[in-house]
Amino acid sequence: MAGNSQRRGATRKDGTKKGAVVGSGGKRTRGLAGRGATPPAVERTKHPAAKRAKAAAKAKTSAADARTRNASRPIAGRKDNEGPELVLGRNPVVECLRAEVPATALYVAVGTENDDRLTESVKIAADAGITILEVPRSDLDKMSRNGMHQGVALQVPPYRYAHPDDMVARVRASGTPALLVALDNISDPRNLGAVIRSVSAFGGHGVVIPQRRSASVTAVAWRTSAGAAARLPVARATNLTRTLKDWANEGYQIVGLDAGGDTHLDEFDGSTPTVIVVGSEGKGLSRLVRETCDAIISIPMAGPVESLNASVAAGVVLADIARQRRA
């Protein structure tokens, strides 16, 4: 247009060519081509349905891994299923070390306040060649789960159970009348540990537990027994009723404990070879075990309490039998 020839961009600059320019090479044509059907929602990574499907698959994989891990573990109650246990607390640890429990490691938290018990524990462990490890308190908290370790923990190997026949051999070697305790339906390891401690304190020869549906000698039982589990054998019976019958054939009297028993403890003669059978607080003695017993003893009580804790009742009877035998 006249008068606009000096407008910027109105004329082509010198040295340029007029004509065809470089094309797109067909890219624009391919870009305009259709991309096919829209993928399902679960295949579109940004879609909520795809995120939900991914989360569900992850959860399914985690559950499968957990089942695989559990399937690879041996059945509970077998020796190879029981790994190392931790005994927690200064008193239980020093008691176990005094009793020469076959420990493998002593853990002490960094910054733990020292006292006589900790000093003695470290000394005994060092003399026995037990590994002493100083670890952060947070690590000991994770290892103990409940944090009730008082800055010290003792790792002990799986408990080695005796055979019921070993109890008979132990009685014969002692030259004293048998005093054994059998636990029926006791599922609390604290009761087991307390019974072990009482049997050891009152001169008993051992404790027998069923192989199934029973508490085992775990770290909790170790702690409650205060090391007595290292001095007193604990046997596992495949069939408790059969074991009691075998002991009855050896001349042992089988005595059950029950609040409604027909024989009072004051009338009971415990000077002869005796097996005390203790049932749980809730279920008591099982039917077959009760039928195997020669007598059912009850503990006379002056107060309104209907029954005692299983381990307490066992301790009372054991103390009375020990008194009779001393007399």
Side-chain angles (χ1 to χ4, degrees):
M1 181 181 291
N4 290 335
S5 60
Q6 300 299 321
R7 180 175 57 81
R8 185 177 180 179
T11 59
R12 187 181 297 274
K13 295 181 180 180
D14 296 338
T16 60
K17 293 182 179 180
K18 184 177 181 182
V21 298
V22 178
S24 64
K27 293 182 179 179
R28 185 174 300 277
T29 303
R30 289 196 299 270
L32 294 175
R35 298 184 180 181
T38 302
V42 294
E43 295 181 6
R44 290 147 58 189
T45 57
K46 303 297 184 181
H47 197 281
K51 295 180 179 180
R52 289 194 297 268
K54 183 179 179 180
K58 184 177 180 181
K60 184 177 180 180
T61 302
S62 300
D65 292 342
R67 286 194 298 268
T68 302
R69 289 193 300 270
N70 291 334
S72 63
R73 296 175 182 172
I75 300 174
R78 294 182 181 175
K79 181 192 293 186
D80 53 2
N81 183 50
E82 298 166 356
E85 293 282 350
L86 284 179
V87 179
L88 308 174
R90 303 194 179 195
N91 281 334
V93 166
V94 73
E95 288 285 349
C96 288
L97 289 171
R98 288 172 183 169
E100 299 181 357
V101 171
T104 55
L106 175 66
Y107 295 93
V108 180
V110 176
T112 299
E113 184 178 354
N114 198 4
D115 63 0
D116 295 340
R117 296 168 297 177
L118 181 57
T119 301
E120 184 180 357
S121 297
V122 172
K123 183 179 184 304
I124 296 176
D127 293 342
I130 299 172
T131 303
I132 302 175
L133 302 173
E134 192 172 18
V135 297
R137 182 171 290 270
S138 58
D139 291 354
L140 206 54
D141 289 340
K142 294 176 183 178
M143 294 165 62
S144 61
R145 297 183 181 180
N146 55 15
M148 298 175 60
H149 49 72
Q150 298 177 316
V152 62
L154 186 68
Q155 181 176 283
V156 297
Y159 187 81
R160 292 186 176 275
Y161 293 94
H163 190 274
D165 293 342
D166 298 336
M167 299 294 186
V168 178
R170 180 182 174 89
V171 169
R172 291 172 180 170
S174 69
T176 57
L179 181 55
L180 300 169
V181 173
L183 302 182
D184 182 30
N185 291 324
I186 298 295
S187 58
D188 190 342
R190 291 170 295 185
N191 277 335
L192 172 59
V195 169
I196 293 173
R197 189 171 187 177
S198 295
V199 174
S200 177
F202 294 115
H205 296 94
V207 176
V208 63
I209 61 176
Q211 189 170 358
R212 297 182 178 180
R213 295 185 294 276
S214 173
S216 56
V217 183
T218 61
V220 177
W222 272 112
R223 175 172 180 167
T224 310
S225 72
R231 300 185 296 269
L232 190 79
V234 178
R236 266 183 169 169
T238 305
N239 188 308
L240 182 59
T241 304
R242 187 185 306 124
T243 298
L244 294 176
K245 290 181 179 179
D246 292 341
W247 286 349
N249 294 332
E250 291 286 337
Y252 301 171
Q253 61 172 338
I254 313 299
V255 179
L257 296 186
D258 192 281
D262 52 6
T263 303
H264 283 234
L265 180 60
D266 297 338
E267 305 169 355
F268 172 68
D269 180 12
S271 60
T272 60
T274 303
V275 179
I276 303 170
V277 187
V278 184
S280 66
E281 296 178 55
K283 298 180 181 178
L285 298 172
S286 60
R287 180 181 60 84
L288 293 177
V289 169
R290 177 182 286 269
E291 293 175 355
T292 307
C293 294
D294 300 314
I296 304 296
I297 294 179
S298 62
I299 301 174
M301 290 177 287
V305 179
E306 294 183 359
S307 62
L308 297 174
N309 175 274
S311 59
V312 174
V316 170
V317 176
L318 287 167
D320 190 74
I321 293 176
R323 177 192 60 79
Q324 294 181 32
R325 294 186 177 186
R326 286 195 305 270

